[in-house]
Structure formats: structure tokens, C-alpha cells
Amino acid sequence: MANVPHRLVNHPGTLTPLEPDRPLPQPLSHSPSVVASPTPPRYPQAPPSFRPDHMHSPNLLSPSNGIRTGSPIPRMSTPPGPPVFNTPVKPAAVPFRSSPATPQPMGYSSATASSLPVSTPSYYSNGSSTGSQRDLPDVVRMEEPIAADSPYVLFSANKVLRQKKLANVASLGFGAIVSAGREISPGPQIIQRDPHRCLHCGAYSNPYTSILIGSGQWQCVICEKMNGSKGEYVALSKDELRNYPELSLPLVDYVQTGNRRPGFVPASDSRTSAPVVLVIDECLDEPHLQHLQSSLHAFVDSLPQTTRLGIVVYGRTVSIYDFSEESVASADVISGAKSPSAESMKSLIYGTGVYLSPMHASLKVAHEIFSSLRPYTLNVPEASRDRCLGTAVEAALAIIQGPSAEMSRGVVRRAGGNSRIIVCAGGPITYGPGSVPHSMSHPNYPYMEKTAIKWMETLGREAHRHNTVVDILCAGTCPLRVPVLQPLAKTSGGVLVLHDDFGEAFGVDLQRAATRAAGSHGLLEVRCSDDIRITQVIGPGEEAYSETHETFKSDPAVCIQMLSVEETQSFSISMENKRDIQGDHVFFQFAFHYSDVYQADVSRVITFKLPTVDSVSAYLQSVVDEAAAVLISKRTLLIAKSQKDAVDMRATVDERIKDIALKFGSQVPKSKLYSFPKELSSLPELLFHLRRGPLLGNIIGSEDERSVLRNLFLNASFDLSLRMVAPRCLMHQEGGTFEELPAYDLSMQSDKAVILDHGTDVFIWLGAELSADEVKSAAVLAACRTLAEELTEFRFPAPRILAFKEGSSQARYFVCRLIPAHKDPPYEQEARFPQIRRLAAEQRRKLKSSFIEFDEESFCEWMRSLKVVPPEPR
């Protein structure tokens, strides 16, 4: 018989229920409360007065960093939350291909955690059974209508095509963008007990589970096997079962407090007490050093008083600064030519020096250290100066792992939460382990670069093993040899960022890098109905080997080891049909397991049920254009590793548009043209932005910059990814308001100011007529800059915010990212850019005459060159 999700069994027969695991429970009011948490302020037990019938829907807070709430999925006209990004990973054997500023978490009130079911571990029946629901009068199906939108999961379509041939059309594809989401927020979705999991496939009980209320047995929605619940789910009615959060909410957080490190001394807030070690390049010229010193002074002033700081400076040697001297900058120096030996680091760490110290005790010393830095004095080009970055990071890891005397109390404390090393680099690593020759023309450069990359990858994995993230913030004009530095950041779960200088944007990134939340020991499990196959995963992780996670009898899960667990990183998961689907629904379950910043073990479980359809039109109407565009873009960028690859991928985008029109569109009568499906009206324009923007286009000339941007994009949250693909255009209006418009060059009206948010860059353009009025233009510029800062308040890395006037040399950065719609006929301009209808005839004439003609195609011209009729805008 067909595999139908609504049925308890997949073959006929009468189900004999298993014996109840225990008698009916006592009345709910007598249920004991959960076991007291070792960290009450964060994960409290429910008070005795808390009753399950007082539960409310989960309080999923509004996100600030690219995580969505329960509102409908916004289109391009809706402002995105400030985003963040991460690094891609290498391909793995599983279909796997290869971190953010965070608001401070809320404290938890004493009545936020669920007190039901009781705080006892779950047990499973040793057998399974099959049968028909119709034979069981006490079968309860828990499912309730739940919207397809989720704060943490966004599907490319909210329905699934049944026909395998059409569903698996590669040009469109199907998949989901998945994020671990925000930190635990107060609400009944917090469960402080072990979950009920299927013995066969490992899936979790959820709101779509069918339950035998007489015995408490439940049927898994993934494998359709029966499982026992030790009587937990024995109930008198369906309403009673709804008191269990996992049976009524699509998202639940199973939280187990405690610490996996025996040597850890608890702190009031392990996030702020986790060490931050600065690794600073001392081979800088005076202008760069002055900017860096200003950023470093502001950085330490911004740190919480309990944050423990270490400072390591590197050039040809490594200086590890000692905080025990309160009035002078004092450092222990080791050679940078080779890795420090265990004996030398042991004698250093167990000596009298203090290399990690809380800010409340060491702020003055830190300022003294930064002020004591001196510019590079030798007459050696920037790229040829000896920099032993590898040895410096090894030393930083050693002082994080070794004991650190806390000056205020004199006790030994080990790191809690994710430790963080932040490298401030002004040039390539050219000395010591992991180094490459000064010149790329060195005859042995390819071999030495390969060796250096492998060494850096090993160092990054060592940092990850010790729960330490390495972020590399680079600045200046010196070539950085990104292929050598990238593996260190990537494999440790960190991020590599390029800046023009060590000024404002660098300083903001420095602060956000140190304070953003990061979990550890992350694992993502993805399970779906047997009709669906996962074909590819792109994101900040690697294949998880079986010894690193729990396994079950017939576990179909794709398991991914997360290099770092941060709020706005995401995984792009591509899927396809194994066969024609017979059932009315398919199920998807995503489980994130990690230790959060407070050292509690969290399992965040999110379950989805999507309807299946035969109608192609119904399927296309359910497609989320922005999500589909982001998934397509990430699959495309995964292949575009070089400039040559990027050129090839532009042609791939063209072929994709033609194939979607051929498979899902219709042929224009008496013509060889095909109409693009009207249901996907936004998709082709989004992909047009992709092929001509910085990700695939010719805007970026530096291969280092292109590589960094690609790596950031592959791990970026949905909102940031969308902004990096297609910029967001906001025009300033009278009265201080802003109107969102398509990112067309028709927005370049001389009496207006325009903001263009392209993810990693934000541009403010002031028209010439507006700029002529200095008072008015100053007020408008201030309003635009304020909005730009609000849009990017929590974005990491912090984007450049550039402001310029019409006709200036910098304006080319703005113009090249806009679609040249001025080339289209007036009726198409009005259809796709309605704001232009409000312009008088003379204003339109002036606007048209302001453009410089060049060969680049408009969106409509590009579509027609592919023999495709562009869809009408919605």
C-alpha cells in the first residue's frame, strides 16, 4: 500500500496495542515540577504553582540579525533584518558542500520553562507494531494547522510536486535555508527533560504525531514505526496532550544544564568571561598603526568588565603581554621561526606572568600596551616584511588553554563558552610555520603555498577542538594571500574579512567579533519523509562521522558537524523526489544540537509538514522567489571559485532562465519565444542582479576580495544573502521618509538622495540639484546615514558606508550596481518603476539626458536576448 502519512501503518491488519507502560497518571495539578537547574537565571525550573493549562504559544522574539518571525515572508519591498555571514566548507562524502553581531540575551523569568511532562528521562518500548487507525478508537492525531513560515527554516516552495520528473527540474530545484536561530528565549517551548525519540530512525515526537492515548504509544512521522513513551503520553483527551510542548509547538528547545568541563569554575556570565585574545601585526607603517591604535583603544573600552583579555603581538618574533605589571607594558618574547614547544609554553604559562586578565583589572594596562606599539622602521616593502602569524596564533591558543590567574581573586579559571582569537593583520604570513615566500614568482611557491594551506587548516582544526574561534580581520593595501589565511578561519568556525584600512569599519568589526554569541559542539540532523532525498548541503560545517553523534537502527538523517553555532549563519539544503509521491503530505525535521554560550546543552527541534500537489500552477504559486533565488545563487557560487569560473556561471544563469521558461512557461503563439512563468515574476530579476553584481560580475577586480566575498556569501543568513544578490534601494522623500524602489538607474534623480544596501556595502548617493543646497543636503545626508546605520546595526562584518555626490568618481560604485532601465521604452519603465509616473515631462527629459550610454543590457533586453518574454511585475 502507498506510504500515506495519515495512516498508522503501511499494510493492512489489526494493530494490537502494546501494554501500557504504566497506569494512568495522577491529575495534572499533582505533577512534580522539573528538576532545579544549576543555572537558575538562564534555565529555571517552573514553580509549583505553574500549571500546564496556563501555557501560551511560544514567545519567539523578533529577530535582529536575519532570523524571521511568524509574519508572512517579506518581498523585496520589506526591509531585511541586519545580517551576518560565515565561511564555506570543503566537500564531504555525504551530499555536503562547502560567523555575527548579536543582541544581548534576555534573562529568564522563573515561569518560562515548561513543567510538563515531568522531569524524568524518556523510555522506549522494545517493539514496534503495525495496524490501521480505523481499528483503534483511542488514536489521536496531534496535528493542527501550522503556518509554513518559520523563524529558522525557509523553504523555496511551500508545496511539493508529486511528479518526480517535474519536481526534480534542476534549473529551479527545491530546498530549504536553515538557521540555528536566536538564543533560547523565554517561553513554554523550553523543555528541561529528555526528548521522546523514535527507536528506529531517531526522529522526535512532534505536533503531527499520532498517539494511542490509552497506552501512550506514538507513531513516528518519518518512518511510521510505533514507539513507547513510558506512559508519558497516556491521557484522557487530545486537549490534555496539548499540554506537552513538543506535541503542540512546531519548535521546541530541549535544554540540559551543566558543564562538560570538569575544571570549569562557573562565572556569572560565561559569555563575557570567555577569553578574547588579540593577535596584532606589528609590521605596520605609521598611518595604519595610528588608525589601528584608535580602534584598539575603543575596543577595550567597549568590552564588558568580566571579559578576560589577552594580547599577542607578532612580527619576526611573538610578544605575549603580561598584565601583572600595572603601570608598564611588559611582554615575554618567543621566536617566530618555529612552533613553540610544549615545554617552553608550559614554563611560560606556569610562571609568574598573567596573560589573560579581566577588563576590570587590566583596562589601564591594555591602554598602555596599545600606546607602546611603534611603527615599522626598516626599509622593507610591506609584502616582504617577516610576519609569523602562525606561531602567534599557536601561542594565543596555549595561553587560552593554560591556567590564568584572575588578578582580583587569584583563582585558576578555565575558559567557559567559546573562546575567541581575533587576528589584526596588515599583510601575508611570510615567516615561520604556515608561511609562504614574499614573492609569488618564487620557483617553489605553489608547493610551499599548498604546504602552508594544509598547516593552517590543521591549526584551525586544533583551535576548533579546543573550542576556540579564530577571526582574521585584515586591512590595508598589501596583498594578503587569502588562500593561505582562509583555512585557519574556516576550519575554526571563524571569518576572514578585508577592510580598506584600520579605521571606523575595522573598529566596529573588532567590537562585534568579540561580543557576538557563539555556541559550540554543534550538530545538525536533517530527516525527511522517505519520498525525499537530500542532495546537497552548503554552509559552515562538515560531514559528521558516526562516532560523533548518536545513531539509531535505520537512521536516514544527514548529519552535519557545525564548526560554529551562530545566530545568523545558515545552511542551504537542496532536495529532490526519490519517486512519484503518493501521499498528501511530506514531513521534514531539523534538529540542532549544541552547547550554548552559558554551557547548557540545547537540542532545538523544528518540524514541518508540507502538502503535495499535482498542479504545476499551484506549485509555482507556492514558490518563494527570494528563497529560490538564494538557493540557486549559493549552488552557483559554490562552483565559481575563480574569475574564469564566474564568467562560466553567468552563462549557466542564462541557461537556467531559458530552461525554467521551457519547462514551466508557455510558448508565445506564432513565435519562437517562451513566456517566463508569471508565478515566478521576481526570480529572473533577482538572478539578473546575481550575474552582473559583485558575486559573478566584473565589479570586483581583486581575486582576494572576490574569494572573501564568496566565502562570506556561502554561509550568510537568508536576509544577508538576499541583499548580497540583489541590492535594496531606498529614496529619501520630503518629510524625512524613505520610499523603497526597484534597484534601477531611474532612481538617480537629481533632486533626490538614494540609499543602496548591497549587503557588504551601503552607498548614499546625493543628486547634483540637491547637493547645490548645502543646508538641505546636509540634513538629508544625516537622515540617510542614520538609516544606513540602523539597517546595519548588528551586521557582522560591518559594511562600508560610502556617501558621494552625483558625477563624482566614487559614484561609479553606485551606478554599476543599478539595472540600466533608462534604455527601456517608456511603457516598460512605468510598469517596472512606477515612481517615474509622478515626474513631470521636463523632469523625465532631464533624467533621460543625464545618463551616459554604454553597451550593458537592461533586464528586459537581457531576457529577450534569451528568447524569453519577461514576466509582468506583481
Side-chain angles (χ1 to χ4, degrees):
M1 182 176 289
N3 182 11
V4 182
H6 285 306
R7 296 178 59 82
L8 270 177
V9 296
N10 54 11
H11 63 80
T14 302
L15 171 63
T16 303
L18 300 176
E19 289 299 320
D21 294 310
R22 65 175 186 179
L24 288 174
Q26 296 300 313
L28 294 177
S29 59
H30 299 296
S31 298
S33 59
V34 253
V35 174
S37 165
T39 54
R42 299 296 173 192
Y43 306 105
Q45 67 174 3
S49 60
F50 181 76
R51 293 174 59 94
D53 53 350
H54 295 164
M55 286 184 178
H56 305 289
S57 60
N59 179 20
L60 298 176
L61 300 183
S62 174
S64 61
N65 235 349
I67 304 303
R68 298 191 174 279
T69 55
S71 59
I73 299 169
R75 296 288 168 180
M76 291 182 66
S77 60
T78 304
V84 197
F85 24 115
N86 295 288
T87 54
V89 297
K90 66 180 184 181
V94 196
F96 190 91
R97 304 286 189 269
S98 44
S99 216
T102 310
Q104 293 301 311
M106 296 178 59
Y108 299 93
S109 66
S110 60
T112 56
S114 167
S115 64
L116 274 182
V118 293
S119 175
T120 58
S122 61
Y123 296 86
Y124 308 99
S125 165
N126 291 326
S128 64
S129 223
T130 58
S132 170
Q133 285 189 23
R134 290 171 298 190
D135 302 318
L136 299 168
D138 59 350
V139 170
V140 170
R141 189 182 302 120
M142 290 307 301
E143 65 183 68
E144 293 181 3
I146 296 176
D149 195 12
S150 163
Y152 312 122
V153 179
L154 182 63
F155 285 93
S156 62
N158 293 322
K159 295 179 181 177
V160 178
L161 266 176
R162 288 180 179 148
Q163 299 91 338
K164 174 183 175 182
K165 183 177 180 181
L166 282 175
N168 294 352
V169 171
S171 54
L172 183 58
F174 172 75
I177 302 169
V178 184
S179 170
R182 294 178 60 87
E183 294 177 343
I184 305 299
S185 54
Q189 79 277 7
I190 298 177
I191 304 173
Q192 291 184 261
R193 58 173 173 80
D194 290 337
H196 290 292
R197 301 188 67 176
C198 176
L199 272 179
H200 303 269
C201 71
Y204 294 74
S205 60
N206 57 78
Y208 309 108
T209 298
S210 295
I211 297 175
L212 298 173
I213 60 175
S215 64
Q217 297 161 40
W218 60 279
Q219 183 189 37
C220 175
V221 298
I222 301 297
C223 68
E224 299 190 345
K225 301 293 185 182
M226 295 298 294
N227 296 272
S229 66
K230 187 61 177 179
E232 294 274 357
Y233 294 157
V234 174
L236 299 175
S237 68
K238 183 175 181 176
D239 289 340
E240 191 174 308
L241 288 173
R242 286 198 185 99
N243 292 324
Y244 293 83
E246 70 270 29
L247 301 182
S248 59
L249 305 176
L251 180 150
V252 290
D253 293 317
Y254 294 96
V255 179
Q256 298 290 338
T257 53
N259 198 286
R260 62 177 72 245
R261 290 180 178 158
F264 176 74
V265 177
S268 59
D269 189 332
S270 63
R271 169 193 291 189
T272 56
S273 65
V276 175
V277 178
L278 294 174
V279 177
I280 303 169
D281 184 353
E282 68 176 355
C283 301
L284 302 179
D285 293 329
E286 186 166 2
H288 285 316
L289 180 62
Q290 288 178 352
H291 283 136
L292 176 60
Q293 285 175 317
S294 297
S295 296
L296 291 173
H297 285 303
F299 169 71
V300 293
D301 285 336
S302 71
L303 289 177
Q305 290 295 296
T306 54
T307 299
R308 290 179 295 143
L309 180 70
I311 299 175
V312 175
V313 175
Y314 70 94
R316 188 175 178 84
T317 59
V318 176
S319 302
I320 306 170
Y321 278 87
D322 182 359
F323 290 94
S324 61
E325 298 288 343
E326 295 188 3
S327 58
V328 66
S330 172
D332 291 281
V333 180
I334 61 174
S335 170
K338 60 181 180 180
S339 297
S341 65
E343 291 75 15
S344 63
M345 292 310 300
K346 183 176 180 180
S347 62
L348 183 75
I349 293 168
Y350 284 86
T352 59
V354 177
Y355 306 105
L356 288 176
S357 179
M359 291 310 305
H360 66 78
S362 58
L363 181 60
K364 180 181 177 182
V365 182
H367 283 302
E368 292 283 349
I369 293 170
F370 298 148
S371 298
S372 71
L373 298 178
R374 293 292 179 264
Y376 192 81
T377 56
L378 300 179
N379 187 24
V380 178
E382 274 189 302
S384 301
R385 297 170 185 174
D386 290 337
R387 294 178 172 90
C388 57
L389 186 151
T391 307
V393 172
E394 287 185 298
L397 273 174
I399 65 174
I400 286 175
Q401 293 305 311
S404 172
E406 184 182 299
M407 297 175 64
S408 60
R409 297 182 184 178
V411 300
V412 172
R413 174 181 300 206
R414 293 195 180 277
N418 254 9
S419 304
R420 198 171 291 276
I421 295 174
I422 304 176
V423 179
C424 305
I429 172 172
T430 53
Y431 188 69
S435 64
V436 291
H438 300 152
S439 172
M440 296 183 69
S441 60
H442 189 284
N444 209 24
Y445 188 89
Y447 171 76
M448 297 182 71
E449 181 185 53
K450 184 178 179 180
T451 304
I453 289 173
K454 186 173 182 61
W455 190 89
M456 284 294 206
E457 183 176 322
T458 302
L459 179 59
R461 293 189 186 283
E462 180 69 8
H464 181 258
R465 189 173 70 84
H466 288 292
N467 207 21
T468 301
V469 173
V470 181
D471 292 324
I472 305 176
L473 307 185
C474 306
T477 57
C478 182
L480 289 157
R481 313 286 193 265
V482 165
V484 177
L485 294 178
Q486 187 76 63
L488 173 59
K490 180 178 70 174
T491 55
S492 69
V495 61
L496 171 64
V497 187
L498 301 183
H499 296 86
D500 294 333
D501 53 45
F502 290 98
E504 181 181 0
F506 179 91
V508 171
D509 273 348
L510 198 59
Q511 295 178 30
R512 294 180 184 177
T515 56
R516 74 188 197 273
S520 59
H521 306 95
L523 180 73
L524 169 61
E525 298 176 345
V526 184
R527 295 178 175 85
C528 44
S529 296
D530 188 52
D531 294 319
I532 303 295
R533 176 191 297 116
I534 295 174
T535 58
Q536 187 183 60
V537 179
I538 302 172
E542 299 175 338
E543 174 190 1
Y545 298 99
S546 57
E547 61 268 20
T548 63
H549 60 92
E550 189 176 2
T551 56
F552 296 83
K553 292 179 182 178
S554 304
D555 193 348
V558 170
C559 297
I560 302 153
Q561 180 183 346
M562 302 170 67
L563 297 175
S564 179
V565 186
E566 302 190 13
E567 180 180 341
T568 56
Q569 68 184 11
S570 69
F571 292 89
S572 301
I573 303 174
S574 299
M575 310 177 195
E576 66 180 18
N577 290 18
K578 290 183 183 177
R579 60 185 76 87
D580 289 347
I581 300 175
Q582 303 300 321
D584 295 330
H585 299 89
V586 286
F587 294 92
F588 303 87
Q589 191 169 82
F590 307 90
F592 289 91
H593 309 276
Y594 61 95
S595 296
D596 71 359
V597 293
Y598 306 110
Q599 296 296 282
D601 291 332
V602 178
S603 292
R604 170 163 288 171
V605 181
I606 312 165
T607 309
F608 272 86
K609 182 181 77 171
L610 296 187
T612 58
V613 293
D614 291 313
S615 167
V616 174
S617 177
Y619 169 70
L620 293 178
Q621 288 175 3
S622 78
V623 170
V624 183
D625 287 8
E626 290 87 350
V630 168
L631 283 168
I632 289 170
S633 300
K634 295 206 178 192
R635 292 199 298 266
T636 303
L637 262 293
L638 185 68
I639 303 171
K641 297 180 179 179
S642 66
Q643 172 63 24
K644 181 180 182 301
D645 294 334
V647 174
D648 294 339
M649 287 302 102
R650 291 178 217 159
T652 301
V653 172
D654 296 348
E655 293 303 316
R656 189 181 296 276
I657 291 293
K658 291 192 286 187
D659 192 63
I660 293 175
L662 179 65
K663 299 288 176 53
F664 297 106
S666 58
Q667 189 169 4
V668 178
K670 299 180 182 181
S671 171
K672 293 183 179 180
L673 300 179
Y674 276 83
S675 294
F676 199 84
K678 62 182 180 181
E679 297 90 347
L680 308 178
S681 61
S682 302
L683 181 61
E685 189 170 306
L686 292 168
L687 296 182
F688 184 56
H689 276 296
L690 168 69
R691 76 183 302 279
R692 66 186 301 276
L695 293 173
L696 289 182
N698 295 316
I699 294 177
I700 295 178
S702 164
E703 199 59 36
D704 276 358
E705 191 175 354
R706 182 184 300 277
S707 174
V708 169
L709 194 68
R710 170 182 175 269
N711 281 282
L712 295 174
F713 174 73
L714 289 176
N715 290 347
S717 68
F718 167 72
D719 281 317
L720 178 63
S721 299
L722 180 60
R723 287 286 72 80
M724 292 177 74
V725 169
R728 182 172 177 229
C729 185
L730 298 164
M731 178 181 284
H732 182 272
Q733 301 292 345
E734 295 296 333
T737 60
F738 288 85
E739 178 184 7
E740 181 158 8
L741 301 171
Y744 290 4
D745 61 0
L746 297 175
S747 63
M748 297 168 58
Q749 298 165 21
S750 189
D751 61 336
K752 300 292 184 182
V754 179
I755 299 174
L756 192 74
D757 181 0
H758 213 162
T760 55
D761 297 279
V762 179
F763 305 102
I764 301 173
W765 180 89
L766 300 175
E769 187 177 323
L770 174 64
S771 300
D773 186 338
E774 293 186 5
V775 175
K776 183 177 180 181
S777 65
V780 172
L781 176 60
C784 291
R785 185 172 290 277
T786 298
L787 178 60
E789 291 172 352
E790 288 176 357
L791 289 173
T792 62
E793 182 179 2
F794 300 111
R795 193 175 298 183
F796 177 80
R800 294 184 302 174
I801 300 179
L802 300 178
F804 35 74
K805 298 178 181 179
E806 179 181 2
S808 66
S809 61
Q810 282 189 316
R812 68 185 188 276
Y813 296 120
F814 174 80
V815 177
C816 67
R817 296 164 192 256
L818 298 173
I819 292 176
H822 73 275
K823 304 177 71 176
D824 294 330
Y827 71 90
E828 284 190 342
Q829 292 179 356
E830 292 181 2
R832 299 185 180 278
F833 197 85
Q835 188 267 352
I836 203 172
R837 301 172 189 166
R838 303 201 295 264
L839 299 184
E842 178 62 20
Q843 290 176 306
R844 293 186 68 163
R845 187 195 64 76
K846 286 177 61 178
L847 177 62
K848 183 177 181 180
S849 64
S850 68
F851 295 111
I852 300 174
E853 292 300 326
F854 50 90
D855 294 335
E856 190 173 6
E857 297 173 314
S858 71
F859 167 68
C860 293
E861 289 175 335
W862 171 67
M863 290 289 285
R864 292 193 178 94
S865 73
L866 303 177
K867 301 294 190 288
V868 177
V869 177
E872 293 294 326
R874 289 178 184 174

